[in-house]
Amino acid sequence: MSGSGFASTPRPPYYAVIFSNQRQGPDDGYGETAQRMVELAATMPGFLGVESVRGEDGFGITVSYWESEEAIAAWRRHGEHAAARVRGREAWYAHFELRVARVERAYGGPARAGAE
Amino acid sequence: MSGSGFASTPRPPYYAVIFSNQRQGPDDGYGETAQRMVELAATMPGFLGVESVRGEDGFGITVSYWESEEAIAAWRRHGEHAAARVRGREAWYAHFELRVARVERAYGGPARAGAE
Protein backbone atom coordinates (compact mmCIF):
# COMPACT_ATOMS: atom_id res chain seq x y z
CA MET A 1 0.00 0.00 0.00
CA SER A 2 2.99 2.29 -0.44
CA GLY A 3 1.89 5.75 -1.48
CA SER A 4 -1.73 4.81 -2.13
CA GLY A 5 -4.54 2.99 -0.40
CA PHE A 6 -5.45 1.15 -3.59
CA ALA A 7 -4.45 -2.38 -4.48
CA SER A 8 -3.15 -2.87 -8.02
CA THR A 9 -5.01 -5.96 -9.08
CA PRO A 10 -4.88 -7.79 -12.41
CA ARG A 11 -7.80 -8.43 -14.72
CA PRO A 12 -10.50 -10.57 -13.12
CA PRO A 13 -11.16 -13.26 -12.18
CA TYR A 14 -9.37 -13.25 -8.83
CA TYR A 15 -10.54 -13.50 -5.22
CA ALA A 16 -11.35 -11.00 -2.49
CA VAL A 17 -11.48 -11.66 1.24
CA ILE A 18 -13.74 -9.00 2.75
CA PHE A 19 -13.06 -8.69 6.48
CA SER A 20 -15.45 -6.32 8.28
CA ASN A 21 -14.74 -5.86 11.95
CA GLN A 22 -15.48 -3.84 15.05
CA ARG A 23 -12.51 -3.22 17.35
CA GLN A 24 -12.95 -3.21 21.09
CA GLY A 25 -10.75 -2.59 24.11
CA PRO A 26 -7.15 -1.34 24.38
CA ASP A 27 -4.56 -1.73 21.62
CA ASP A 28 -2.83 -4.56 23.50
CA GLY A 29 -0.63 -5.52 20.57
CA TYR A 30 -3.31 -5.05 17.96
CA GLY A 31 -1.63 -2.35 15.86
CA GLU A 32 1.68 -4.18 15.72
CA THR A 33 0.05 -7.48 14.81
CA ALA A 34 -2.16 -5.91 12.15
CA GLN A 35 0.87 -4.34 10.49
CA ARG A 36 2.76 -7.63 10.73
CA MET A 37 -0.11 -9.53 9.11
CA VAL A 38 -0.12 -7.16 6.12
CA GLU A 39 3.63 -7.61 5.71
CA LEU A 40 3.40 -11.37 6.10
CA ALA A 41 0.45 -11.73 3.71
CA ALA A 42 2.44 -9.82 1.09
CA THR A 43 5.07 -12.59 1.14
CA MET A 44 2.51 -15.32 0.42
CA PRO A 45 2.21 -16.86 -3.05
CA GLY A 46 -0.84 -15.58 -4.85
CA PHE A 47 -1.19 -12.38 -2.80
CA LEU A 48 -2.35 -9.51 -5.04
CA GLY A 49 -2.85 -6.60 -2.65
CA VAL A 50 -4.85 -5.20 0.24
CA GLU A 51 -7.06 -2.19 0.97
CA SER A 52 -7.86 -1.28 4.55
CA VAL A 53 -9.71 1.47 6.39
CA ARG A 54 -10.78 2.04 9.98
CA GLY A 55 -13.19 4.75 11.07
CA GLU A 56 -13.15 6.76 14.28
CA ASP A 57 -15.81 4.49 15.78
CA GLY A 58 -13.51 1.48 15.49
CA PHE A 59 -15.39 -0.13 12.61
CA GLY A 60 -13.01 -1.33 9.92
CA ILE A 61 -13.01 -3.00 6.53
CA THR A 62 -9.96 -4.79 5.13
CA VAL A 63 -10.15 -6.37 1.68
CA SER A 64 -7.28 -8.59 0.60
CA TYR A 65 -6.99 -9.85 -2.96
CA TRP A 66 -5.68 -13.27 -4.01
CA GLU A 67 -5.06 -15.20 -7.19
CA SER A 68 -6.94 -18.29 -6.10
CA GLU A 69 -8.85 -20.08 -3.37
CA GLU A 70 -5.72 -22.18 -2.82
CA ALA A 71 -3.70 -19.05 -2.03
CA ILE A 72 -6.33 -17.98 0.52
CA ALA A 73 -6.29 -21.44 2.11
CA ALA A 74 -2.49 -21.40 2.42
CA TRP A 75 -2.59 -17.99 4.09
CA ARG A 76 -5.26 -19.26 6.45
CA ARG A 77 -2.99 -22.17 7.44
CA HIS A 78 0.03 -19.94 8.18
CA GLY A 79 0.86 -20.43 11.88
CA GLU A 80 1.43 -16.79 12.75
CA HIS A 81 -1.81 -15.80 11.02
CA ALA A 82 -3.73 -18.54 12.83
CA ALA A 83 -2.37 -17.32 16.18
CA ALA A 84 -3.35 -13.73 15.35
CA ARG A 85 -6.89 -14.86 14.49
CA VAL A 86 -7.22 -16.46 17.94
CA ARG A 87 -6.23 -13.20 19.63
CA GLY A 88 -8.63 -11.34 17.37
CA ARG A 89 -11.55 -13.53 18.39
CA GLU A 90 -10.62 -13.48 22.07
CA ALA A 91 -9.67 -9.85 22.57
CA TRP A 92 -9.50 -7.36 19.72
CA TYR A 93 -12.81 -7.72 17.91
CA ALA A 94 -16.28 -7.24 19.36
CA HIS A 95 -17.53 -8.79 16.14
CA PHE A 96 -16.37 -9.54 12.62
CA GLU A 97 -17.74 -10.87 9.35
CA LEU A 98 -15.51 -12.57 6.82
CA ARG A 99 -16.64 -13.14 3.24
CA VAL A 100 -14.72 -14.85 0.46
CA ALA A 101 -15.76 -13.68 -2.98
CA ARG A 102 -14.75 -14.21 -6.59
CA VAL A 103 -14.18 -10.88 -8.34
CA GLU A 104 -15.83 -11.12 -11.73
CA ARG A 105 -15.34 -7.62 -13.11
CA ALA A 106 -13.60 -4.43 -12.08
CA TYR A 107 -12.97 -0.93 -13.27
CA GLY A 108 -11.58 2.32 -11.93
CA GLY A 109 -11.60 6.02 -12.51
CA PRO A 110 -10.67 8.88 -12.85
CA ALA A 111 -7.18 8.07 -14.17
CA ARG A 112 -4.86 7.25 -11.31
CA ALA A 113 -2.15 9.85 -10.80
CA GLY A 114 1.06 8.52 -12.26
CA ALA A 115 -0.65 5.67 -14.09
CA GLU A 116 -2.19 5.24 -17.54
CA MET B 1 -26.82 -0.03 9.23
CA SER B 2 -28.98 0.92 12.20
CA GLY B 3 -27.09 0.33 15.42
CA SER B 4 -24.26 -1.60 13.80
CA GLY B 5 -21.87 -1.22 10.93
CA PHE B 6 -22.44 -4.81 9.82
CA ALA B 7 -24.72 -5.94 7.03
CA SER B 8 -26.97 -8.88 7.85
CA THR B 9 -26.55 -11.01 4.77
CA PRO B 10 -28.12 -14.39 3.97
CA ARG B 11 -26.25 -17.59 3.24
CA PRO B 12 -24.06 -17.33 0.14
CA PRO B 13 -24.10 -17.14 -2.77
CA TYR B 14 -24.86 -13.46 -3.20
CA TYR B 15 -22.97 -10.51 -4.68
CA ALA B 16 -20.71 -7.80 -3.27
CA VAL B 17 -19.86 -4.48 -4.90
CA ILE B 18 -16.54 -3.34 -3.40
CA PHE B 19 -16.12 0.40 -3.93
CA SER B 20 -12.71 1.72 -2.81
CA ASN B 21 -12.26 5.44 -3.16
CA GLN B 22 -10.14 8.43 -2.27
CA ARG B 23 -12.05 11.63 -1.53
CA GLN B 24 -10.71 14.99 -2.62
CA GLY B 25 -11.76 18.61 -2.28
CA PRO B 26 -14.55 20.23 -0.27
CA ASP B 27 -17.73 18.44 0.75
CA ASP B 28 -19.77 20.25 -1.92
CA GLY B 29 -22.83 18.06 -1.51
CA TYR B 30 -20.89 14.83 -1.08
CA GLY B 31 -22.09 13.92 2.42
CA GLU B 32 -25.73 14.53 1.62
CA THR B 33 -25.54 12.58 -1.64
CA ALA B 34 -23.70 9.66 -0.04
CA GLN B 35 -26.38 9.38 2.62
CA ARG B 36 -29.12 9.64 -0.01
CA MET B 37 -27.51 6.86 -2.09
CA VAL B 38 -27.50 4.51 0.90
CA GLU B 39 -31.17 5.26 1.56
CA LEU B 40 -32.07 4.88 -2.10
CA ALA B 41 -30.10 1.65 -2.56
CA ALA B 42 -31.97 0.18 0.41
CA THR B 43 -35.26 0.61 -1.50
CA MET B 44 -34.00 -1.36 -4.51
CA PRO B 45 -35.12 -4.97 -5.11
CA GLY B 46 -32.36 -7.40 -4.21
CA PHE B 47 -30.49 -5.05 -1.88
CA LEU B 48 -29.09 -7.00 1.08
CA GLY B 49 -27.08 -4.43 3.03
CA VAL B 50 -24.07 -2.15 3.06
CA GLU B 51 -20.90 -1.66 5.10
CA SER B 52 -18.96 1.58 4.80
CA VAL B 53 -15.90 3.17 6.39
CA ARG B 54 -13.84 6.26 5.73
CA GLY B 55 -10.49 6.97 7.34
CA GLU B 56 -9.06 10.32 8.39
CA ASP B 57 -6.98 10.47 5.19
CA GLY B 58 -10.12 10.41 3.05
CA PHE B 59 -9.65 6.84 1.82
CA GLY B 60 -12.90 4.90 2.03
CA ILE B 61 -14.31 1.45 1.37
CA THR B 62 -18.02 0.81 0.86
CA VAL B 63 -19.23 -2.73 0.24
CA SER B 64 -22.85 -3.19 -0.80
CA TYR B 65 -24.44 -6.63 -0.97
CA TRP B 66 -26.99 -7.77 -3.53
CA GLU B 67 -28.99 -10.88 -4.33
CA SER B 68 -28.01 -11.01 -7.97
CA GLU B 69 -26.16 -9.39 -10.85
CA GLU B 70 -29.54 -8.25 -12.14
CA ALA B 71 -30.17 -6.31 -8.92
CA ILE B 72 -26.77 -4.60 -9.28
CA ALA B 73 -27.52 -3.71 -12.90
CA ALA B 74 -30.90 -2.19 -11.96
CA TRP B 75 -29.26 -0.06 -9.26
CA ARG B 76 -26.65 1.05 -11.76
CA ARG B 77 -29.41 2.18 -14.13
CA HIS B 78 -31.23 4.24 -11.48
CA GLY B 79 -31.21 7.85 -12.69
CA GLU B 80 -30.33 9.50 -9.40
CA HIS B 81 -27.52 7.01 -8.85
CA ALA B 82 -26.19 7.61 -12.35
CA ALA B 83 -26.18 11.37 -11.75
CA ALA B 84 -24.33 10.91 -8.45
CA ARG B 85 -21.69 8.78 -10.18
CA VAL B 86 -21.02 11.58 -12.65
CA ARG B 87 -20.44 14.05 -9.82
CA GLY B 88 -18.23 11.49 -8.11
CA ARG B 89 -16.03 11.13 -11.16
CA GLU B 90 -15.92 14.85 -11.84
CA ALA B 91 -15.47 16.26 -8.36
CA TRP B 92 -15.56 14.09 -5.27
CA TYR B 93 -13.11 11.28 -5.96
CA ALA B 94 -9.44 11.59 -6.78
CA HIS B 95 -9.61 7.93 -7.70
CA PHE B 96 -11.81 4.89 -7.18
CA GLU B 97 -11.83 1.18 -7.90
CA LEU B 98 -15.05 -0.76 -8.24
CA ARG B 99 -15.12 -4.54 -8.12
CA VAL B 100 -18.13 -6.81 -8.48
CA ALA B 101 -17.69 -10.15 -6.76
CA ARG B 102 -19.71 -13.26 -6.06
CA VAL B 103 -19.61 -14.13 -2.35
CA GLU B 104 -19.04 -17.86 -2.09
CA ARG B 105 -18.70 -18.39 1.64
CA ALA B 106 -18.97 -16.31 4.78
CA TYR B 107 -18.73 -16.60 8.52
CA GLY B 108 -18.62 -14.34 11.55
CA GLY B 109 -17.54 -14.24 15.14
CA PRO B 110 -17.62 -13.75 18.12
CA ALA B 111 -21.39 -13.97 18.60
CA ARG B 112 -23.06 -10.70 17.63
CA ALA B 113 -24.64 -8.88 20.55
CA GLY B 114 -28.37 -9.36 20.41
CA ALA B 115 -28.22 -12.02 17.71
CA GLU B 116 -28.03 -15.83 17.68
Side-chain angles (χ1 to χ4, degrees):
Chain A
M1 295 195 293
S2 56
S4 158
F6 295 99
S8 288
T9 43
R11 278 180 183 276
Y14 52 87
Y15 287 81
V17 178
I18 306 165
F19 179 60
S20 308
N21 59 84
Q22 178 65 53
R23 279 276 289 121
Q24 67 179 0
D27 184 79
D28 196 20
Y30 169 76
E32 188 181 344
T33 301
Q35 178 59 32
R36 169 70 180 155
M37 288 304 109
V38 168
E39 291 168 7
L40 196 58
T43 70
M44 296 293 293
F47 175 84
L48 298 175
V50 63
E51 297 172 342
S52 190
V53 192
R54 187 168 308 283
E56 289 182 3
D57 61 355
F59 187 78
I61 300 177
T62 296
V63 188
S64 59
Y65 300 100
W66 302 86
E67 279 179 8
S68 65
E69 291 256 31
E70 292 70 26
I72 295 169
W75 169 232
R76 188 171 167 74
R77 285 192 303 268
H78 191 291
E80 212 175 321
H81 182 208
R85 287 203 308 278
V86 170
R87 291 201 64 191
R89 276 185 180 273
E90 290 180 351
W92 293 322
Y93 298 122
H95 186 71
F96 66 82
E97 298 286 339
L98 190 141
R99 297 170 173 103
V100 179
R102 183 178 187 270
V103 178
E104 304 197 334
R105 55 182 199 278
Y107 59 91
R112 187 181 310 178
E116 303 183 44
Chain B
M1 293 195 293
S2 57
S4 157
F6 295 99
S8 289
T9 43
R11 279 178 182 276
Y14 52 87
Y15 286 82
V17 178
I18 307 166
F19 180 60
S20 308
N21 59 84
Q22 178 64 53
R23 279 276 291 119
Q24 67 179 0
D27 184 78
D28 196 20
Y30 169 76
E32 189 181 342
T33 301
Q35 178 59 31
R36 169 71 180 153
M37 289 304 110
V38 169
E39 291 168 7
L40 197 59
T43 70
M44 296 293 291
F47 174 83
L48 297 175
V50 62
E51 297 172 341
S52 190
V53 193
R54 188 168 308 283
E56 289 180 4
D57 61 354
F59 187 77
I61 300 176
T62 296
V63 189
S64 59
Y65 300 100
W66 301 86
E67 278 179 8
S68 66
E69 291 257 30
E70 292 69 27
I72 295 169
W75 169 232
R76 187 171 168 76
R77 284 192 303 268
H78 191 291
E80 213 175 320
H81 182 207
R85 288 203 307 278
V86 171
R87 292 201 64 192
R89 276 185 180 272
E90 290 180 351
W92 294 322
Y93 298 121
H95 185 71
F96 66 81
E97 298 286 339
L98 189 141
R99 297 170 173 102
V100 179
R102 183 177 187 270
V103 178
E104 304 197 334
R105 55 182 200 279
Y107 60 90
R112 188 180 308 179
E116 304 184 37

